[in-house]
Amino acid sequence: MGRAPCCDKANVKRGPWSPEEDATLKNYLQKHGTGGNWISLPRKAGLTRCGKSCRLRWLNYLRPDIKHGGFTEEEDNIICTLYNSMGSRWSVIASQLPGRTDNDVKNYWNTKLKKKMLEGKIDVKRSSKISNISDITINNSSHPMVQFSVSTGEAETYNPGNSSPCFSAYSSTLTPLMEMGFQQYCDLQLPGLILDQSQFPLSTFTEVPNLGTYGCNSYSVSSSHQEASSLVPLDNNHSISSVNGSLVKEGGILLQDYGFEFPCELLNNDLIFQGKYSTEVAPFLGNN
DNA sequence: AAGTTCGGCAACCGCACGGAC
DNA sequence: AGTCCGTGCGGTTGCCGAACT
């Protein structure tokens, strides 16, 4: 037995929306909201449309904060950068562009931006982010350093000297690195990158397989930090420590103590970064 | 001026997911 | 645990106006 259709297709109106229908839907939603049920909404609102159609019309066109057209160069760069790193996750990409809908971004990409990028008119590299970190090692000097390379294999070895950037992560997802001041510290030309670890309490990283693949990144961390107040065992070889004792929250883990601002959780003895935040590891200036 | 092609975009379709029961 | 059903998403379609022949 197949799944029941969401509406009686023979008795619902299809095709372009009239101004009257728009007004009816808008008025109803502004007065009553969706009521948590799009399927029954058209009947209550007095529309002969499918609930899905109403939802689409509202989300893509009638919502008050929607922007149409006029994509800026900055938005172009963001879309291209995100498309390169995660593919056609239009809803995720659109979520980084206030006022833009996934449909809008998708259409813009398919009709204009793809061509523009292939013609080399968009500088994706300049606004690219670290999408894959591997080979993290620690310099065990009195002034510890974290060394890692990025997936492009083009990162330049960097010695921070007196400028003291720290190693951290940011939660404003998918922000181009150039906005973080990253380009001041990494030329993305040579195979390694060294960053000041002075504000980063973990003393050791191990096993960073595929950090950067969207979704299921596993990331095991160990620490022998003297100030650790609690340890969460991962397996025989790895553990996670909390400097301030606030690491474990509601079955998940917040690595705020380490400068990571996004939630993680333990799964199969690995530390899993949640969904869309998984690739967001980037350095920024220590005084930020 | 008429016919054809192309580009842009709104809307639809079908599937996957997840919550409720 | 299995089923149902609403929601969200990405891919695709089809309409319409502009550009071209």
Side-chain angles (χ1 to χ4, degrees):
Chain A
M1 189 183 78
R3 183 178 155 175
C6 65
C7 58
D8 179 3
K9 292 192 191 306
N11 292 315
V12 295
K13 189 179 171 197
R14 297 168 64 186
W17 282 65
S18 69
E20 291 76 24
E21 288 176 309
D22 281 348
T24 303
L25 180 61
K26 202 171 178 178
N27 287 338
Y28 182 86
L29 285 167
Q30 282 171 348
K31 280 182 189 168
H32 306 97
T34 65
N37 188 335
W38 282 103
I39 299 300
S40 62
L41 186 144
R43 184 176 45 80
K44 293 177 189 168
L47 290 163
T48 54
R49 291 274 179 175
C50 170
K52 287 176 85 167
S53 179
C54 292
R55 176 182 164 272
L56 209 62
R57 186 65 179 168
W58 173 254
L59 293 179
N60 287 338
Y61 199 82
L62 297 176
R63 263 192 304 163
D65 53 343
I66 293 291
K67 278 191 279 185
H68 288 290
F71 280 83
T72 65
E73 200 174 317
E74 189 189 355
E75 287 176 314
D76 288 357
N77 284 335
I78 292 173
I79 294 168
C80 289
T81 299
L82 300 190
Y83 186 88
N84 281 340
S85 67
M86 70 173 69
S88 58
R89 305 290 299 263
W90 301 118
S91 61
V92 179
I93 295 172
S95 71
Q96 306 305 312
L97 303 168
R100 301 295 186 188
T101 69
D102 53 351
N103 208 37
D104 232 15
V105 173
K106 177 175 59 181
N107 284 334
Y108 182 56
W109 169 262
N110 284 330
T111 56
K112 292 179 185 170
L113 210 47
K114 185 162 58 178
K115 203 182 300 173
K116 209 169 162 183
M117 198 176 76
L118 288 172
E119 289 169 358
K121 291 179 181 174
I122 296 177
D123 188 358
V124 177
K125 183 179 175 182
R126 204 165 64 89
S127 61
S128 69
K129 64 185 178 58
I130 293 176
S131 59
N132 190 2
I133 299 176
S134 60
D135 303 329
I136 291 183
T137 57
I138 296 296
N139 174 350
N140 285 320
S141 67
S142 57
H143 192 57
M145 313 287 279
V146 179
Q147 181 171 7
F148 61 94
S149 61
V150 301
S151 61
T152 62
E154 295 173 334
E156 180 167 7
T157 300
Y158 171 70
N159 187 329
N162 296 325
S163 52
S164 297
C166 71
F167 180 77
S168 187
Y170 56 102
S171 62
S172 55
T173 61
L174 307 169
T175 304
L177 274 181
M178 59 180 296
E179 292 177 15
M180 306 298 292
F182 180 83
Q183 76 281 9
Q184 296 173 31
Y185 298 98
C186 176
D187 195 20
L188 291 174
Q189 292 296 322
L190 299 175
L193 177 69
I194 298 177
L195 295 165
D196 188 338
Q197 203 204 6
S198 59
Q199 295 186 45
F200 190 69
L202 286 177
S203 63
T204 306
F205 278 86
T206 58
E207 286 188 14
V208 189
N210 201 27
L211 179 64
T213 298
Y214 190 86
C216 302
N217 305 303
S218 63
Y219 188 120
S220 299
V221 181
S222 69
S223 173
S224 58
H225 198 279
Q226 297 298 312
E227 297 172 22
S229 60
S230 67
L231 292 172
V232 181
L234 284 169
D235 57 33
N236 291 336
N237 300 317
H238 309 104
S239 62
I240 302 169
S241 72
S242 165
V243 175
N244 298 319
S246 60
L247 187 59
V248 179
K249 294 183 180 179
E250 297 177 350
I253 294 171
L254 289 175
L255 286 185
Q256 287 168 329
D257 295 335
Y258 303 136
F260 289 89
E261 297 175 355
F262 44 82
C264 315
E265 59 187 325
L266 278 173
L267 190 64
N268 298 329
N269 289 334
D270 276 332
L271 181 63
I272 309 296
F273 292 119
Q274 285 182 3
K276 67 180 179 181
Y277 302 105
S278 60
T279 63
E280 301 320 300
V281 180
F284 64 82
L285 294 174
N287 56 4
N288 272 4

